[in-house]
Amino acid sequence: MKKRMSRGKFEKMQQLSNDQGVIAALAIDQRGSMKRMMEAAVGKERFEMDQIYEFKELVSQELTKRESAILLDEQYGFKGIKAKDKNCGLIMSYEKTGYDANTPGRLPELLPNESLDRLLAKGADAAKVLVYYNPDEDQELLDIKHAFLERLGTEALAADIPVFVEPIVYDDKITDDHSPEFAKIKPKKVIETIKELTKDKYHIDVLKVEVPVLFKYVDGFTEGDDPAVYTQKEAAEYFKAASDAATRPFIYLSAGVPANIFREELTFAGEHGAHYCGILGGRATWRDGVQVYADGGKEALLKWLDTQGRQNVEELNEILAKYAKPWYEIYGGLDNIEVFDVDVMKD
């Protein structure tokens, strides 16, 4: 059975991908966390918002020469949007940063002054929405999030633009999501989340997911006093099960881990049958550049981006070339996709 896809979505998915159909993308849409990182690096007394604007601009300017796409927010990344390489696709954040801690469920909320049509007009090739998701929470809260995603998917169909959804799993009882206790429950939560959110009714084009384990607790990859929560065989089975649960393309996010750990995760995933179609690599790619910029300014950061930053990107691209699958493979290949015009559908 052929996969039907609107022309706008299809062409933009291709724009966001490299020549192999793989999404080799950079994420630098952090807002609140970006401000905290920069303040810590330069010191609160020396911090200025212009430093964030310039940092995102320079990262975008230099690293998008070797990326197929970049994820940026307009609030802090407006200069980065203008500075990106013309051949690099643009994904724009569509959700408000953070969540209301006084309301149960970490409910998602879109930017009040945006729409997908407006993002399209600003040059976006896709929109990204982060949703905190716990498959084990009360059905009432799940219904709210499911309805939110159904509305989002319907808007994306009408606007004819791909939508990337980033579900971040959590638990109300185990609040330290870096702990061994959370590591034990994370695989099931990630697998169940992928199984639910790749259902056709949500019309999500790409799921941007966490790896299904906390990798620092995999036997053979632990450091210091960290205990081994998973054997390598168990971790491999979780990666495969999470991949098999997906019925739509998915990519991995770096989730703040160091560059070497992200490379290990991607290699391990590929070696054990996870059919991911790319990445949105964030802090793993550029995080160390924040302190370089704080200490040495623009010229120091440019030098770092052309050396270590470039190496970070190229090493990730080598792994993607070896293990990542084209986004359209899950649909049976390009020949199995029937592209239609939205106007024809409306008629």
Side-chain angles (χ1 to χ4, degrees):
M1 189 174 181
K2 288 212 169 197
K3 164 68 177 177
R4 298 189 78 238
M5 183 175 291
S6 63
R7 187 171 304 281
K9 285 199 175 202
F10 177 80
E11 291 179 350
K12 288 176 177 60
M13 285 293 294
Q14 292 289 68
Q15 173 62 34
L16 296 164
S17 308
N18 62 22
D19 292 342
Q20 288 75 48
V22 170
I23 299 169
L26 175 72
I28 186 166
D29 68 321
Q30 288 80 0
R31 285 160 275 181
S33 61
M34 183 80 242
K35 187 176 179 181
R36 290 190 292 273
M37 276 188 277
M38 191 63 74
E39 280 184 341
V42 303
K44 283 196 173 184
E45 66 285 349
R46 293 177 52 230
F47 170 75
E48 297 177 359
M49 284 303 300
D50 283 344
Q51 293 164 330
I52 292 179
Y53 304 151
E54 183 172 64
F55 182 82
K56 291 197 176 196
E57 177 184 28
L58 296 175
V59 169
S60 177
Q61 172 187 298
E62 296 304 312
L63 297 188
T64 56
K65 298 170 185 175
R66 297 169 180 85
E67 303 276 14
S68 70
I70 186 170
L71 167 61
L72 278 160
D73 62 295
E74 188 177 27
Q75 183 181 4
Y76 293 171
F78 58 94
K79 287 188 174 181
I81 291 172
K82 292 181 180 178
K84 77 173 184 67
D85 187 275
K86 62 182 177 61
N87 295 315
C88 182
L90 174 63
I91 308 166
M92 291 182 68
S93 297
Y94 189 27
E95 85 283 352
K96 289 179 69 174
T97 186
Y99 57 88
D100 182 359
N102 297 315
T103 303
R106 305 187 186 187
L107 299 179
E109 189 175 354
L110 298 179
L111 292 168
N113 60 338
E114 289 292 6
S115 69
L116 292 183
D117 282 332
R118 291 184 179 199
L119 294 184
L120 270 172
K122 293 172 181 178
D125 297 299
K128 184 274 301 185
V129 174
L130 183 151
V131 177
Y132 289 96
Y133 194 84
N134 177 9
D136 302 308
E137 65 191 346
D138 293 342
Q139 190 59 45
E140 182 180 356
L141 290 172
L142 287 174
D143 284 343
I144 292 172
K145 293 180 182 180
H146 293 166
F148 170 87
L149 290 171
E150 289 165 15
R151 289 193 297 271
L152 174 66
T154 301
E155 184 188 5
L157 286 176
D160 204 10
I161 184 174
V163 62
F164 287 49
V165 171
E166 177 183 351
I168 301 298
V169 300
Y170 70 98
D171 188 83
D172 291 318
K173 295 177 182 177
I174 304 174
T175 55
D176 182 359
D177 57 7
H178 296 287
S179 66
E181 292 74 23
F182 188 79
K184 294 174 184 176
I185 64 173
K186 182 177 181 178
K188 177 180 177 291
K189 288 184 182 290
V190 172
I191 292 165
E192 290 300 316
T193 298
I194 292 174
K195 190 178 296 183
E196 175 65 31
L197 299 189
T198 55
K199 289 179 178 177
D200 289 346
K201 67 178 181 177
Y202 299 112
H203 306 293
I204 294 169
D205 297 282
V206 177
L207 211 58
K208 178 188 174 189
V209 299
E210 307 164 89
V211 299
V213 300
L214 285 178
F215 208 70
K216 65 179 180 177
Y217 297 120
V218 177
D219 187 34
F221 295 95
T222 59
E223 295 181 2
D225 296 328
D226 289 336
V229 173
Y230 329 94
T231 66
Q232 291 195 26
K233 181 176 183 293
E234 288 170 335
E237 289 170 350
Y238 289 138
F239 271 94
K240 184 67 164 58
S243 175
D244 289 348
T247 58
R248 287 173 178 253
F250 72 92
I251 59 179
Y252 289 127
L253 64 147
S254 57
V257 301
N260 63 312
I261 302 298
F262 192 39
R263 291 194 297 269
E264 288 177 350
E265 291 175 345
L266 295 174
T267 300
F268 190 90
E271 288 176 342
H272 295 95
H275 288 183
Y276 60 97
C277 66
I279 60 170
L280 259 166
R283 285 165 287 183
T285 307
W286 49 260
R287 184 177 194 166
D288 291 346
V290 176
Q291 193 62 57
V292 171
Y293 176 72
D295 295 339
K298 178 178 179 179
E299 294 307 316
L301 177 60
L302 284 171
K303 183 177 180 180
W304 184 88
L305 288 169
D306 194 44
T307 51
Q308 187 59 56
R310 175 177 179 172
Q311 181 178 329
N312 289 345
V313 170
E314 290 178 345
E315 287 176 345
L316 289 172
N317 285 343
E318 287 174 9
I319 295 171
L320 293 177
K322 187 173 183 179
Y323 295 112
K325 310 298 181 185
W327 68 266
Y328 41 77
E329 183 176 285
I330 199 164
Y331 299 126
L334 286 176
D335 292 341
N336 204 46
I337 296 177
E338 179 186 336
V339 179
F340 65 88
D341 293 308
V342 170
D343 290 339
V344 172
M345 183 184 70
K346 288 179 179 178
D347 291 342

mmCIF file of all heavy atoms in Angstrom, residues 26-53:
data_model
loop_
_atom_site.group_PDB
_atom_site.id
_atom_site.type_symbol
_atom_site.label_atom_id
_atom_site.label_comp_id
_atom_site.label_asym_id
_atom_site.label_seq_id
_atom_site.Cartn_x
_atom_site.Cartn_y
_atom_site.Cartn_z
ATOM 1 N N LEU A 26 21.248 20.083 13.287
ATOM 2 C CA LEU A 26 21.803 20.732 14.472
ATOM 3 C C LEU A 26 20.666 21.396 15.235
ATOM 4 O O LEU A 26 19.827 22.075 14.638
ATOM 5 C CB LEU A 26 22.831 21.780 14.044
ATOM 6 C CG LEU A 26 23.451 22.659 15.126
ATOM 7 C CD1 LEU A 26 24.410 21.840 15.976
ATOM 8 C CD2 LEU A 26 24.186 23.837 14.489
ATOM 9 N N ALA A 27 20.635 21.220 16.548
ATOM 10 C CA ALA A 27 19.610 21.849 17.388
ATOM 11 C C ALA A 27 20.243 22.913 18.266
ATOM 12 O O ALA A 27 21.164 22.627 19.029
ATOM 13 C CB ALA A 27 18.920 20.801 18.255
ATOM 14 N N ILE A 28 19.760 24.139 18.143
ATOM 15 C CA ILE A 28 20.210 25.201 19.047
ATOM 16 C C ILE A 28 19.029 26.139 19.305
ATOM 17 O O ILE A 28 19.113 27.357 19.147
ATOM 18 C CB ILE A 28 21.472 25.922 18.505
ATOM 19 C CG1 ILE A 28 21.999 26.922 19.526
ATOM 20 C CG2 ILE A 28 21.229 26.526 17.136
ATOM 21 C CD1 ILE A 28 23.381 27.450 19.262
ATOM 22 N N ASP A 29 17.915 25.523 19.695
ATOM 23 C CA ASP A 29 16.705 26.297 19.996
ATOM 24 C C ASP A 29 16.512 26.484 21.494
ATOM 25 O O ASP A 29 15.456 26.950 21.931
ATOM 26 C CB ASP A 29 15.470 25.624 19.403
ATOM 27 C CG ASP A 29 15.136 24.304 20.095
ATOM 28 O OD1 ASP A 29 16.081 23.554 20.436
ATOM 29 O OD2 ASP A 29 13.937 24.008 20.274
ATOM 30 N N GLN A 30 17.534 26.149 22.287
ATOM 31 C CA GLN A 30 17.433 26.317 23.733
ATOM 32 C C GLN A 30 17.205 27.794 24.064
ATOM 33 O O GLN A 30 17.832 28.678 23.464
ATOM 34 C CB GLN A 30 18.708 25.827 24.426
ATOM 35 C CG GLN A 30 18.877 24.330 24.442
ATOM 36 C CD GLN A 30 19.397 23.752 23.145
ATOM 37 O OE1 GLN A 30 19.635 24.474 22.196
ATOM 38 N NE2 GLN A 30 19.595 22.457 23.102
ATOM 39 N N ARG A 31 16.338 28.025 25.014
ATOM 40 C CA ARG A 31 16.035 29.394 25.422
ATOM 41 C C ARG A 31 16.408 29.610 26.888
ATOM 42 O O ARG A 31 17.477 30.152 27.172
ATOM 43 C CB ARG A 31 14.545 29.683 25.154
ATOM 44 C CG ARG A 31 14.276 29.900 23.667
ATOM 45 C CD ARG A 31 12.816 29.708 23.283
ATOM 46 N NE ARG A 31 12.507 28.289 23.034
ATOM 47 C CZ ARG A 31 11.316 27.853 22.660
ATOM 48 N NH1 ARG A 31 10.307 28.697 22.503
ATOM 49 N NH2 ARG A 31 11.115 26.564 22.441
ATOM 50 N N GLY A 32 15.589 29.139 27.825
ATOM 51 C CA GLY A 32 15.920 29.307 29.240
ATOM 52 C C GLY A 32 17.251 28.674 29.605
ATOM 53 O O GLY A 32 18.083 29.274 30.302
ATOM 54 N N SER A 33 17.485 27.450 29.117
ATOM 55 C CA SER A 33 18.752 26.769 29.438
ATOM 56 C C SER A 33 19.938 27.467 28.776
ATOM 57 O O SER A 33 21.045 27.485 29.317
ATOM 58 C CB SER A 33 18.688 25.300 29.018
ATOM 59 O OG SER A 33 18.473 25.179 27.621
ATOM 60 N N MET A 34 19.723 28.062 27.603
ATOM 61 C CA MET A 34 20.790 28.795 26.927
ATOM 62 C C MET A 34 21.205 30.011 27.751
ATOM 63 O O MET A 34 22.401 30.311 27.910
ATOM 64 C CB MET A 34 20.298 29.243 25.543
ATOM 65 C CG MET A 34 21.346 29.954 24.703
ATOM 66 S SD MET A 34 22.490 28.838 23.889
ATOM 67 C CE MET A 34 24.022 29.345 24.616
ATOM 68 N N LYS A 35 20.205 30.678 28.288
ATOM 69 C CA LYS A 35 20.502 31.850 29.121
ATOM 70 C C LYS A 35 21.275 31.450 30.366
ATOM 71 O O LYS A 35 22.243 32.120 30.750
ATOM 72 C CB LYS A 35 19.195 32.553 29.504
ATOM 73 C CG LYS A 35 19.398 33.880 30.226
ATOM 74 C CD LYS A 35 18.064 34.569 30.481
ATOM 75 C CE LYS A 35 18.281 35.886 31.234
ATOM 76 N NZ LYS A 35 16.993 36.565 31.523
ATOM 77 N N ARG A 36 20.881 30.337 30.978
ATOM 78 C CA ARG A 36 21.590 29.874 32.176
ATOM 79 C C ARG A 36 23.027 29.483 31.848
ATOM 80 O O ARG A 36 23.950 29.761 32.624
ATOM 81 C CB ARG A 36 20.834 28.702 32.808
ATOM 82 C CG ARG A 36 19.509 29.106 33.448
ATOM 83 C CD ARG A 36 18.910 27.973 34.267
ATOM 84 N NE ARG A 36 18.470 26.852 33.435
ATOM 85 C CZ ARG A 36 17.274 26.762 32.876
ATOM 86 N NH1 ARG A 36 16.389 27.737 33.017
ATOM 87 N NH2 ARG A 36 16.955 25.692 32.156
ATOM 88 N N MET A 37 23.225 28.824 30.709
ATOM 89 C CA MET A 37 24.576 28.425 30.305
ATOM 90 C C MET A 37 25.475 29.642 30.085
ATOM 91 O O MET A 37 26.620 29.678 30.537
ATOM 92 C CB MET A 37 24.521 27.590 29.017
ATOM 93 C CG MET A 37 24.245 26.128 29.215
ATOM 94 S SD MET A 37 24.413 25.184 27.673
ATOM 95 C CE MET A 37 22.808 25.458 26.952
ATOM 96 N N MET A 38 24.935 30.635 29.379
ATOM 97 C CA MET A 38 25.744 31.814 29.074
ATOM 98 C C MET A 38 26.035 32.628 30.327
ATOM 99 O O MET A 38 27.162 33.125 30.519
ATOM 100 C CB MET A 38 25.039 32.681 28.026
ATOM 101 C CG MET A 38 25.902 33.795 27.450
ATOM 102 S SD MET A 38 27.363 33.194 26.540
ATOM 103 C CE MET A 38 26.587 32.596 25.024
ATOM 104 N N GLU A 39 25.040 32.760 31.199
ATOM 105 C CA GLU A 39 25.253 33.490 32.451
ATOM 106 C C GLU A 39 26.343 32.826 33.293
ATOM 107 O O GLU A 39 27.195 33.494 33.876
ATOM 108 C CB GLU A 39 23.950 33.548 33.254
ATOM 109 C CG GLU A 39 22.980 34.615 32.792
ATOM 110 C CD GLU A 39 21.758 34.695 33.688
ATOM 111 O OE1 GLU A 39 21.484 33.725 34.438
ATOM 112 O OE2 GLU A 39 21.061 35.722 33.637
ATOM 113 N N ALA A 40 26.295 31.485 33.349
ATOM 114 C CA ALA A 40 27.297 30.761 34.128
ATOM 115 C C ALA A 40 28.688 30.911 33.525
ATOM 116 O O ALA A 40 29.697 30.984 34.247
ATOM 117 C CB ALA A 40 26.921 29.278 34.212
ATOM 118 N N ALA A 41 28.758 30.993 32.211
ATOM 119 C CA ALA A 41 30.056 31.072 31.531
ATOM 120 C C ALA A 41 30.700 32.448 31.651
ATOM 121 O O ALA A 41 31.908 32.557 31.882
ATOM 122 C CB ALA A 41 29.886 30.694 30.060
ATOM 123 N N VAL A 42 29.907 33.499 31.480
ATOM 124 C CA VAL A 42 30.472 34.859 31.478
ATOM 125 C C VAL A 42 30.382 35.532 32.842
ATOM 126 O O VAL A 42 31.084 36.510 33.110
ATOM 127 C CB VAL A 42 29.798 35.754 30.418
ATOM 128 C CG1 VAL A 42 29.913 35.152 29.045
ATOM 129 C CG2 VAL A 42 28.329 36.024 30.761
ATOM 130 N N GLY A 43 29.514 35.015 33.722
ATOM 131 C CA GLY A 43 29.264 35.670 35.003
ATOM 132 C C GLY A 43 28.070 36.593 34.885
ATOM 133 O O GLY A 43 27.911 37.299 33.874
ATOM 134 N N LYS A 44 27.204 36.591 35.882
ATOM 135 C CA LYS A 44 25.953 37.368 35.812
ATOM 136 C C LYS A 44 26.196 38.852 35.602
ATOM 137 O O LYS A 44 25.437 39.536 34.913
ATOM 138 C CB LYS A 44 25.125 37.138 37.076
ATOM 139 C CG LYS A 44 24.388 35.808 37.088
ATOM 140 C CD LYS A 44 23.298 35.793 38.147
ATOM 141 C CE LYS A 44 22.474 34.521 38.017
ATOM 142 N NZ LYS A 44 21.345 34.487 38.962
ATOM 143 N N GLU A 45 27.277 39.360 36.193
ATOM 144 C CA GLU A 45 27.541 40.802 36.091
ATOM 145 C C GLU A 45 27.972 41.213 34.687
ATOM 146 O O GLU A 45 27.808 42.373 34.293
ATOM 147 C CB GLU A 45 28.603 41.228 37.113
ATOM 148 C CG GLU A 45 30.003 40.659 36.904
ATOM 149 C CD GLU A 45 30.147 39.189 37.293
ATOM 150 O OE1 GLU A 45 29.213 38.650 37.920
ATOM 151 O OE2 GLU A 45 31.189 38.592 36.953
ATOM 152 N N ARG A 46 28.489 40.280 33.897
ATOM 153 C CA ARG A 46 28.940 40.593 32.538
ATOM 154 C C ARG A 46 27.965 40.121 31.464
ATOM 155 O O ARG A 46 28.162 40.378 30.283
ATOM 156 C CB ARG A 46 30.312 39.946 32.285
ATOM 157 C CG ARG A 46 31.450 40.531 33.103
ATOM 158 C CD ARG A 46 32.762 39.783 32.830
ATOM 159 N NE ARG A 46 33.048 39.687 31.419
ATOM 160 C CZ ARG A 46 33.372 38.553 30.787
ATOM 161 N NH1 ARG A 46 33.411 37.412 31.460
ATOM 162 N NH2 ARG A 46 33.626 38.553 29.495
ATOM 163 N N PHE A 47 26.926 39.417 31.879
ATOM 164 C CA PHE A 47 26.006 38.820 30.907
ATOM 165 C C PHE A 47 25.152 39.871 30.197
ATOM 166 O O PHE A 47 24.628 40.796 30.823
ATOM 167 C CB PHE A 47 25.097 37.808 31.606
ATOM 168 C CG PHE A 47 23.963 37.336 30.726
ATOM 169 C CD1 PHE A 47 24.200 36.439 29.692
ATOM 170 C CD2 PHE A 47 22.683 37.830 30.912
ATOM 171 C CE1 PHE A 47 23.165 36.020 28.866
ATOM 172 C CE2 PHE A 47 21.635 37.406 30.100
ATOM 173 C CZ PHE A 47 21.876 36.502 29.076
ATOM 174 N N GLU A 48 25.009 39.689 28.868
ATOM 175 C CA GLU A 48 24.107 40.505 28.058
ATOM 176 C C GLU A 48 23.398 39.591 27.071
ATOM 177 O O GLU A 48 23.984 38.622 26.571
ATOM 178 C CB GLU A 48 24.882 41.587 27.295
ATOM 179 C CG GLU A 48 25.589 42.601 28.181
ATOM 180 C CD GLU A 48 26.407 43.601 27.367
ATOM 181 O OE1 GLU A 48 26.416 43.460 26.118
ATOM 182 O OE2 GLU A 48 27.030 44.485 27.970
ATOM 183 N N MET A 49 22.142 39.906 26.764
ATOM 184 C CA MET A 49 21.386 39.082 25.825
ATOM 185 C C MET A 49 22.043 39.037 24.456
ATOM 186 O O MET A 49 21.951 38.035 23.742
ATOM 187 C CB MET A 49 19.953 39.595 25.697
ATOM 188 C CG MET A 49 19.066 39.249 26.878
ATOM 189 S SD MET A 49 18.951 37.473 27.230
ATOM 190 C CE MET A 49 18.277 36.862 25.696
ATOM 191 N N ASP A 50 22.731 40.113 24.076
ATOM 192 C CA ASP A 50 23.402 40.142 22.770
ATOM 193 C C ASP A 50 24.419 39.009 22.632
ATOM 194 O O ASP A 50 24.725 38.572 21.514
ATOM 195 C CB ASP A 50 24.103 41.487 22.554
ATOM 196 C CG ASP A 50 23.133 42.592 22.180
ATOM 197 O OD1 ASP A 50 21.983 42.265 21.800
ATOM 198 O OD2 ASP A 50 23.508 43.776 22.272
ATOM 199 N N GLN A 51 24.940 38.541 23.752
ATOM 200 C CA GLN A 51 25.905 37.434 23.706
ATOM 201 C C GLN A 51 25.232 36.152 23.210
ATOM 202 O O GLN A 51 25.818 35.391 22.441
ATOM 203 C CB GLN A 51 26.521 37.232 25.093
ATOM 204 C CG GLN A 51 27.398 38.396 25.543
ATOM 205 C CD GLN A 51 27.684 38.381 27.032
ATOM 206 O OE1 GLN A 51 26.871 37.900 27.820
ATOM 207 N NE2 GLN A 51 28.827 38.921 27.426
ATOM 208 N N ILE A 52 24.013 35.912 23.636
ATOM 209 C CA ILE A 52 23.268 34.739 23.165
ATOM 210 C C ILE A 52 22.946 34.890 21.681
ATOM 211 O O ILE A 52 23.102 33.948 20.899
ATOM 212 C CB ILE A 52 21.973 34.539 23.975
ATOM 213 C CG1 ILE A 52 22.307 34.153 25.405
ATOM 214 C CG2 ILE A 52 21.089 33.470 23.327
ATOM 215 C CD1 ILE A 52 21.099 33.955 26.296
ATOM 216 N N TYR A 53 22.494 36.078 21.301
ATOM 217 C CA TYR A 53 22.154 36.306 19.889
ATOM 218 C C TYR A 53 23.366 36.051 18.996
ATOM 219 O O TYR A 53 23.260 35.387 17.959
ATOM 220 C CB TYR A 53 21.673 37.747 19.677
ATOM 221 C CG TYR A 53 20.505 38.180 20.522
ATOM 222 C CD1 TYR A 53 20.338 39.515 20.891
ATOM 223 C CD2 TYR A 53 19.562 37.258 20.992
ATOM 224 C CE1 TYR A 53 19.277 39.926 21.672
ATOM 225 C CE2 TYR A 53 18.491 37.664 21.778
ATOM 226 C CZ TYR A 53 18.355 39.002 22.122
ATOM 227 O OH TYR A 53 17.299 39.409 22.900
#
